[in-house]
Amino acid sequence: MVNNLELIKEKLLNRKQELEEAMSLLYKEKVSDDQVQDTGDQALSSALEEIKISLHNNELDEYQMIAKALEMIDTGMYGMCMECGNPISEKRLLSFPNATRCLSCQEALEEGRS
Ligand SMILES: [Zn+2]
């Protein structure tokens, strides 16, 4: 059972809103670039576009993790590791409210990547 669930949920909702604003700004920039692009340097603008897309993807990843965490709060599954089913420590949840894995599963995942 997570004691600070309301606090964590508030953190998640605040961060979700920040990300929504950041993503909508990126989207607007992209639209205005397209409008002046007809005679522009295609290669340069596509390189810039890639940078923006990768930034956008990081935000999108985080956004999806937050959406997942909020969904888990609603279904009462929040605070359980999605890998092993053990409870995630509350200290970890307060530092990383979008955590869906316990520390040992997260470490195992990161070791596997490198
Ligand atoms: Zn785990």
Side-chain angles (χ1 to χ4, degrees), residues 1-2 78-81 84-90 93 101-103:
M1 198 56 216
V2 183
Y78 185 74
M80 307 273 237
C81 173
C84 68
N86 287 330
I88 303 172
S89 80
E90 190 142 343
L93 291 173
R101 290 179 181 86
C102 70
L103 193 59

mmCIF file of all heavy atoms in Angstrom, residues 1-2 78-81 84-90 93 101-103:
data_model
loop_
_atom_site.group_PDB
_atom_site.id
_atom_site.type_symbol
_atom_site.label_atom_id
_atom_site.label_comp_id
_atom_site.label_asym_id
_atom_site.label_seq_id
_atom_site.Cartn_x
_atom_site.Cartn_y
_atom_site.Cartn_z
ATOM 1 N N MET A 1 0.852 -1.204 0.000
ATOM 2 C CA MET A 1 0.000 0.000 0.000
ATOM 3 C C MET A 1 0.883 1.247 0.000
ATOM 4 O O MET A 1 1.841 1.342 0.764
ATOM 5 C CB MET A 1 -0.888 -0.048 1.252
ATOM 6 C CG MET A 1 -2.112 0.876 1.169
ATOM 7 S SD MET A 1 -3.140 0.541 -0.276
ATOM 8 C CE MET A 1 -3.673 2.171 -0.719
ATOM 9 N N VAL A 2 0.552 2.182 -0.868
ATOM 10 C CA VAL A 2 1.338 3.408 -0.966
ATOM 11 C C VAL A 2 0.660 4.507 -0.149
ATOM 12 O O VAL A 2 -0.500 4.834 -0.369
ATOM 13 C CB VAL A 2 1.478 3.852 -2.441
ATOM 14 C CG1 VAL A 2 2.341 5.075 -2.545
ATOM 15 C CG2 VAL A 2 2.048 2.718 -3.285
ATOM 16 N N TYR A 78 -0.672 0.376 -8.801
ATOM 17 C CA TYR A 78 0.487 1.247 -8.659
ATOM 18 C C TYR A 78 1.339 0.842 -7.466
ATOM 19 O O TYR A 78 0.821 0.479 -6.407
ATOM 20 C CB TYR A 78 0.031 2.694 -8.487
ATOM 21 C CG TYR A 78 1.186 3.665 -8.451
ATOM 22 C CD1 TYR A 78 1.871 3.973 -9.611
ATOM 23 C CD2 TYR A 78 1.598 4.234 -7.259
ATOM 24 C CE1 TYR A 78 2.931 4.850 -9.585
ATOM 25 C CE2 TYR A 78 2.665 5.111 -7.222
ATOM 26 C CZ TYR A 78 3.321 5.421 -8.394
ATOM 27 O OH TYR A 78 4.379 6.282 -8.363
ATOM 28 N N GLY A 79 2.682 0.920 -7.660
ATOM 29 C CA GLY A 79 3.591 0.594 -6.575
ATOM 30 C C GLY A 79 4.047 -0.854 -6.614
ATOM 31 O O GLY A 79 4.847 -1.276 -5.791
ATOM 32 N N MET A 80 3.526 -1.611 -7.602
ATOM 33 C CA MET A 80 3.971 -2.994 -7.780
ATOM 34 C C MET A 80 4.889 -3.022 -8.996
ATOM 35 O O MET A 80 4.607 -2.401 -10.013
ATOM 36 C CB MET A 80 2.782 -3.914 -8.091
ATOM 37 C CG MET A 80 1.675 -3.793 -7.092
ATOM 38 S SD MET A 80 1.953 -4.881 -5.729
ATOM 39 C CE MET A 80 0.439 -5.799 -5.826
ATOM 40 N N CYS A 81 5.971 -3.797 -8.889
ATOM 41 C CA CYS A 81 6.888 -3.945 -10.004
ATOM 42 C C CYS A 81 6.212 -4.727 -11.128
ATOM 43 O O CYS A 81 5.645 -5.790 -10.884
ATOM 44 C CB CYS A 81 8.144 -4.667 -9.524
ATOM 45 S SG CYS A 81 9.262 -5.078 -10.861
ATOM 46 N N CYS A 84 8.448 -8.269 -11.532
ATOM 47 C CA CYS A 84 8.455 -9.351 -10.542
ATOM 48 C C CYS A 84 7.250 -9.303 -9.601
ATOM 49 O O CYS A 84 7.019 -10.246 -8.847
ATOM 50 C CB CYS A 84 9.763 -9.335 -9.741
ATOM 51 S SG CYS A 84 9.928 -7.894 -8.675
ATOM 52 N N GLY A 85 6.469 -8.211 -9.646
ATOM 53 C CA GLY A 85 5.269 -8.128 -8.820
ATOM 54 C C GLY A 85 5.513 -7.738 -7.366
ATOM 55 O O GLY A 85 4.567 -7.609 -6.596
ATOM 56 N N ASN A 86 6.782 -7.529 -6.997
ATOM 57 C CA ASN A 86 7.078 -7.092 -5.635
ATOM 58 C C ASN A 86 6.769 -5.606 -5.481
ATOM 59 O O ASN A 86 6.825 -4.858 -6.454
ATOM 60 C CB ASN A 86 8.557 -7.338 -5.303
ATOM 61 C CG ASN A 86 8.848 -8.806 -5.087
ATOM 62 O OD1 ASN A 86 8.003 -9.570 -4.650
ATOM 63 N ND2 ASN A 86 10.066 -9.201 -5.432
ATOM 64 N N PRO A 87 6.463 -5.175 -4.259
ATOM 65 C CA PRO A 87 6.211 -3.742 -4.063
ATOM 66 C C PRO A 87 7.466 -2.905 -4.309
ATOM 67 O O PRO A 87 8.569 -3.318 -3.951
ATOM 68 C CB PRO A 87 5.745 -3.630 -2.611
ATOM 69 C CG PRO A 87 5.966 -4.947 -1.980
ATOM 70 C CD PRO A 87 6.253 -5.951 -3.035
ATOM 71 N N ILE A 88 7.287 -1.766 -4.938
ATOM 72 C CA ILE A 88 8.387 -0.826 -5.167
ATOM 73 C C ILE A 88 8.459 0.064 -3.924
ATOM 74 O O ILE A 88 7.421 0.485 -3.412
ATOM 75 C CB ILE A 88 8.108 0.032 -6.424
ATOM 76 C CG1 ILE A 88 7.890 -0.871 -7.648
ATOM 77 C CG2 ILE A 88 9.238 1.023 -6.678
ATOM 78 C CD1 ILE A 88 7.412 -0.127 -8.890
ATOM 79 N N SER A 89 9.667 0.346 -3.435
ATOM 80 C CA SER A 89 9.760 1.122 -2.197
ATOM 81 C C SER A 89 9.189 2.522 -2.391
ATOM 82 O O SER A 89 9.320 3.128 -3.455
ATOM 83 C CB SER A 89 11.202 1.190 -1.703
ATOM 84 O OG SER A 89 11.899 2.178 -2.422
ATOM 85 N N GLU A 90 8.537 2.996 -1.342
ATOM 86 C CA GLU A 90 7.886 4.288 -1.433
ATOM 87 C C GLU A 90 8.882 5.425 -1.672
ATOM 88 O O GLU A 90 8.585 6.400 -2.345
ATOM 89 C CB GLU A 90 7.084 4.534 -0.150
ATOM 90 C CG GLU A 90 6.213 5.746 -0.294
ATOM 91 C CD GLU A 90 4.869 5.569 0.386
ATOM 92 O OE1 GLU A 90 4.475 4.429 0.682
ATOM 93 O OE2 GLU A 90 4.230 6.583 0.609
ATOM 94 N N LEU A 93 9.401 5.557 -5.262
ATOM 95 C CA LEU A 93 8.226 6.124 -5.947
ATOM 96 C C LEU A 93 8.166 7.643 -5.788
ATOM 97 O O LEU A 93 7.759 8.347 -6.712
ATOM 98 C CB LEU A 93 6.941 5.496 -5.405
ATOM 99 C CG LEU A 93 6.729 4.025 -5.768
ATOM 100 C CD1 LEU A 93 5.524 3.478 -5.022
ATOM 101 C CD2 LEU A 93 6.565 3.839 -7.270
ATOM 102 N N ARG A 101 8.981 -0.345 -12.243
ATOM 103 C CA ARG A 101 9.788 -1.507 -11.876
ATOM 104 C C ARG A 101 10.474 -1.241 -10.543
ATOM 105 O O ARG A 101 10.816 -0.100 -10.258
ATOM 106 C CB ARG A 101 10.878 -1.773 -12.922
ATOM 107 C CG ARG A 101 10.356 -2.285 -14.231
ATOM 108 C CD ARG A 101 11.499 -2.500 -15.201
ATOM 109 N NE ARG A 101 10.987 -2.985 -16.477
ATOM 110 C CZ ARG A 101 10.545 -2.208 -17.450
ATOM 111 N NH1 ARG A 101 10.559 -0.892 -17.307
ATOM 112 N NH2 ARG A 101 10.085 -2.722 -18.569
ATOM 113 N N CYS A 102 10.730 -2.292 -9.762
ATOM 114 C CA CYS A 102 11.495 -2.130 -8.534
ATOM 115 C C CYS A 102 12.956 -1.875 -8.905
ATOM 116 O O CYS A 102 13.358 -2.073 -10.059
ATOM 117 C CB CYS A 102 11.349 -3.353 -7.642
ATOM 118 S SG CYS A 102 12.164 -4.819 -8.263
ATOM 119 N N LEU A 103 13.734 -1.455 -7.927
ATOM 120 C CA LEU A 103 15.112 -1.067 -8.194
ATOM 121 C C LEU A 103 15.921 -2.213 -8.807
ATOM 122 O O LEU A 103 16.660 -2.008 -9.759
ATOM 123 C CB LEU A 103 15.756 -0.572 -6.895
ATOM 124 C CG LEU A 103 17.077 0.159 -7.037
ATOM 125 C CD1 LEU A 103 16.930 1.396 -7.923
ATOM 126 C CD2 LEU A 103 17.607 0.571 -5.676
#
